[in-house]
Amino acid sequence: MEPLLKVDDLHKAYGALKILNGVSVNVKRGEKVSIIGPSGSGKTTFLRCINFLEKPTSGHIFVEGKLIGEKTVSGKFVHVSDTELAKDRQEIGFVFQRFNLFPHLSVLGNVTIAQTKVLGLSQRDAEARGRQMLEKVGLGHKVDEYPERLSGGQQQRVAIARVLAMQPKLILFDEATSALDPELIGEVLRVMRQLAEEGRTMVIVTHEIQFAAEISDRIIFMDHGAVVEEGSPAKVLKDPQHPRTREFLKRIEQR
Amino acid sequence: MEKLLAVYVDHIDVWLPEMLFFSITTLEIAIVSFVLAVAIGLVLVMLRVSKISPLVTLAILIIEVARGLPIVVLLYIVYFVPPQLVSGWNWSWYNAFVGAVLGLGIHGGAILAEVFRAGIEALHKGQREAALSLGMTPAKSMRYILVPQAARIVLPPVANYGIGLLKETSLCSLIGVNELMNDAKSIAFADYEPMAVFLLAAAIYFAMSYPLALILRHVEKRLNFSR
Ligand SMILES: Nc1ncnc2c1ncn2[C@@H]1O[C@H](COP(=O)(O)OP(=O)(O)OP(=O)(O)O)[C@@H](O)[C@H]1O
Ligand SMILES: [Mg+2]
């Protein structure tokens, strides 16, 4: 079966500085893939390339077989227009480390704005769906609050609701809990676990190894902009084959 | 005090209508130069943040010079220099009013360019990325996310500038625009009553600007993110 997400030989460099050196990853529909690796190994860059927040230097992204951010014109790959790129991005939800809620909009405004302005839903329908998503993340009682009055954990849950309201085919999480105080991490992980159980397709960059082990179908260990090792959590975490993986896991355990 | 009152009793029926009439010119200068200042400020800030280095340098140069000069000096330069510089043209349209709004507009544009830049720089890069990742085009992210946020930062200082501008229009009397201040001067010296006339002028300026300041304060309170 065709993978939902296909990342084909992705390279990314900033000038002479190479960040990604040929990453190829396939993700099946409903699959949960966690990416772990040392700081600076290119995990964030990898996620950002998937929805073209960064333009890959080379390589291609496909969602359900359709090219993201590019099209082929007489056999050559060319970048698409802003409008087409925006359309491609609708399929791909992105949860940021720092939440990035819109401070000038209420919680409900945050989860409705893209529904109305991008999907073209009526205000009423958008609010209905928005409330439903906020219920789901346990924030149904905060619809009229403004982001600055919420805790970090609540903000991140609103950010997740905002993504869910767009009904993406795939959700990317970039260290969704690392900006949070320890006591707030649990509430966000709980929501992510719930999404995983619903069978959503998720690519998760995380330092929460235990969490990754529990919810992932597959773990990818990245280092120096390349996939070093991948496989089931049991295999990669309990019986790592590559010395760099072993060293990384040992370092994390010691913390 | 009684003497002053007696002066007003004698003259107010002539002075007040005349000064109110010239206050209209004051308001006209303020409004036209405000619009001009916003337009010039937007152009300057676009150059300033363009990342095209000659344009950035040009913008910085204009901004620094226009802000660095006393407004009166700028008014004199803008009003008197161009006709002398390009003497071949027909400059009959270039009257004191035009010179005044251009001078104030350039000065205000330089001030507002910096205000706008502060608004742009206060925007977190993550805001645009969040908007894009939700499927907004760059134009939509501008319209629905970035501009509304910048506006909340920028509107109060812009409005403050506008109120200040209303008072600064009095400087235009120096290049001969017939506005409130100029009229006050001519009445004051014609009727030999400078104190009474200038106090009246002051009252009119205050009556025009203070309500605006009150409205602004009210709006500012309501602009806060969390209501
Ligand atoms: N815009 C940029 N210009 C230059 N270098 C960049 C840019 N963005 C990222 N980098 C570099 O790319 C490398 C990989 O960064 P990236 O954020 O992808 O790593 P990461 O695996 O997510 O790390 P962390 O675990 O700390 O989040 C880093 O060395 C970073 O400094
Ligand atoms: Mg990162």
Side-chain angles (χ1 to χ4, degrees):
Chain A
M1 203 180 83
E2 188 177 60
L4 182 94
L5 169 70
K6 182 178 157 84
V7 178
D8 184 19
D9 196 26
L10 190 64
H11 289 255
K12 176 67 186 179
Y14 295 105
L17 184 66
K18 290 183 180 166
I19 310 295
L20 297 177
N21 304 300
V23 180
S24 296
V25 170
N26 289 343
V27 180
K28 292 197 289 259
R29 185 184 315 279
E31 195 178 17
K32 269 69 67 183
V33 176
S34 287
I35 301 176
I36 60 173
S39 186
S41 56
K43 305 180 298 292
T44 295
T45 307
F46 173 70
L47 285 193
R48 290 166 59 80
C49 282
I50 291 178
N51 75 347
F52 263 66
L53 284 179
E54 301 288 348
K55 291 212 163 45
T57 308
S58 69
H60 307 287
I61 315 289
F62 301 84
V63 170
E64 289 185 331
K66 190 196 165 302
L67 264 171
I68 297 296
E70 295 178 298
K71 58 187 172 189
T72 47
V73 175
S74 52
K76 279 213 191 73
F77 291 94
V78 293
H79 286 148
V80 299
S81 70
D82 285 344
T83 317
E84 290 169 283
L85 178 55
K87 209 152 182 63
D88 290 344
R89 285 190 178 124
Q90 288 173 33
E91 315 285 1
I92 305 168
F94 200 110
V95 176
F96 296 87
Q97 187 171 351
R98 301 219 61 98
F99 333 133
N100 295 344
L101 292 185
F102 305 132
H104 64 301
L105 298 176
S106 69
V107 163
L108 192 57
N110 267 273
V111 294
T112 53
I113 184 90
Q115 291 187 70
T116 53
K117 305 307 179 195
V118 175
L119 300 180
L121 264 64
S122 71
Q123 188 63 32
R124 228 179 102 201
D125 293 349
E127 283 186 8
R129 195 195 282 176
R131 278 176 202 279
Q132 204 181 329
M133 295 308 148
L134 288 167
E135 284 304 335
K136 191 189 194 62
V137 300
L139 289 171
H141 57 298
K142 295 284 189 193
V143 284
D144 294 324
E145 208 56 89
Y146 276 76
E148 65 172 8
R149 313 235 326 196
L150 301 180
S151 74
Q154 291 172 329
Q155 289 191 44
Q156 190 61 294
R157 286 187 282 148
V158 173
I160 292 173
R162 180 172 72 175
V163 163
L164 293 178
M166 295 300 285
Q167 305 186 326
K169 299 199 164 107
L170 153 82
I171 308 179
L172 312 175
F173 295 83
D174 186 17
E175 299 198 31
T177 58
S178 12
L180 298 176
D181 293 337
E183 72 272 18
L184 301 177
I185 291 176
E187 63 191 63
V188 172
L189 292 186
R190 241 186 333 273
V191 169
M192 289 173 65
R193 187 186 307 266
Q194 185 190 340
L195 300 182
E197 282 162 4
E198 286 171 8
R200 291 176 193 269
T201 314
M202 301 161 73
V203 178
I204 302 162
V205 169
T206 184
H207 286 155
E208 301 285 331
I209 301 291
Q210 185 56 39
F211 173 74
E214 285 165 28
I215 70 149
S216 308
D217 302 305
R218 186 150 48 105
I219 305 266
I220 293 177
F221 173 67
M222 250 178 92
D223 197 10
H224 294 115
V227 173
V228 174
E229 186 165 350
E230 65 177 305
S232 68
K235 197 169 138 259
V236 175
L237 300 176
K238 297 281 152 19
D239 183 25
Q241 300 301 304
H242 202 287
R244 290 219 302 262
T245 319
R246 267 181 240 145
E247 195 196 326
F248 171 74
L249 290 172
K250 204 157 78 201
R251 254 208 331 266
I252 300 214
E253 260 165 42
Q254 280 163 359
R255 277 194 323 204
Chain B
M1 190 66 198
E2 263 168 43
K3 251 177 76 185
L4 189 61
L5 272 181
V7 172
Y8 283 131
V9 172
D10 274 356
H11 293 287
I12 198 82
D13 58 327
V14 180
W15 288 354
L16 191 61
E18 184 177 327
M19 287 171 82
L20 287 180
F21 174 77
F22 284 103
S23 303
I24 296 174
T25 308
T26 288
L27 287 174
E28 282 170 355
I29 300 172
I31 292 167
V32 175
S33 49
F34 181 76
V35 172
L36 208 57
V38 170
I40 292 174
L42 286 175
V43 172
L44 284 177
V45 78
M46 280 193 272
L47 300 181
R48 181 73 178 76
V49 301
S50 66
K51 293 184 181 139
I52 304 170
S53 104
L55 297 184
V56 175
T57 312
L58 177 70
I60 293 177
L61 200 73
I62 294 174
I63 291 170
E64 292 303 323
V65 170
R67 290 198 325 162
L69 292 178
I71 300 178
V72 182
V73 175
L74 195 64
L75 285 173
Y76 275 103
I77 291 175
V78 168
Y79 181 43
F80 291 111
V81 171
Q84 214 178 349
L85 220 52
V86 193
S87 47
W89 290 6
N90 175 10
W91 286 94
S92 58
W93 59 276
Y94 200 75
N95 57 26
F97 183 90
V98 176
V101 296
L102 271 182
L104 290 178
I106 292 170
H107 183 258
I111 291 177
L112 292 184
E114 292 298 280
V115 169
F116 294 153
R117 190 160 71 98
I120 290 171
E121 282 174 357
L123 294 174
H124 194 264
K125 153 167 160 285
Q127 291 293 309
R128 179 183 146 87
E129 294 187 344
L132 294 181
S133 76
L134 289 167
M136 289 193 195
T137 58
K140 281 184 184 170
S141 80
M142 243 337 179
R143 167 144 178 227
Y144 299 114
I145 305 302
L146 301 181
V147 168
Q149 285 181 41
R152 278 172 166 72
I153 296 164
V154 157
L155 277 185
V158 168
N160 260 320
Y161 159 76
I163 294 169
L165 179 63
L166 191 62
K167 297 173 241 176
E168 277 167 9
T169 55
S170 57
L171 295 170
C172 299
S173 64
L174 294 170
I175 56 170
V177 186
N178 284 320
E179 39 67 79
L180 175 55
M181 193 59 206
N182 218 356
D183 184 52
K185 275 193 277 189
S186 58
I187 298 178
F189 297 122
D191 292 353
Y192 300 108
E193 291 290 357
M195 177 166 74
V197 174
F198 289 133
L199 280 178
L200 184 58
I204 295 176
Y205 276 113
F206 187 78
M208 289 192 290
S209 67
Y210 193 63
L212 289 177
L214 286 184
I215 294 173
L216 173 62
R217 218 175 289 166
H218 181 70
V219 172
E220 249 174 61
K221 256 186 222 145
R222 299 202 28 180
L223 266 183
N224 277 341
F225 286 149
S226 43
R227 271 148 266 199

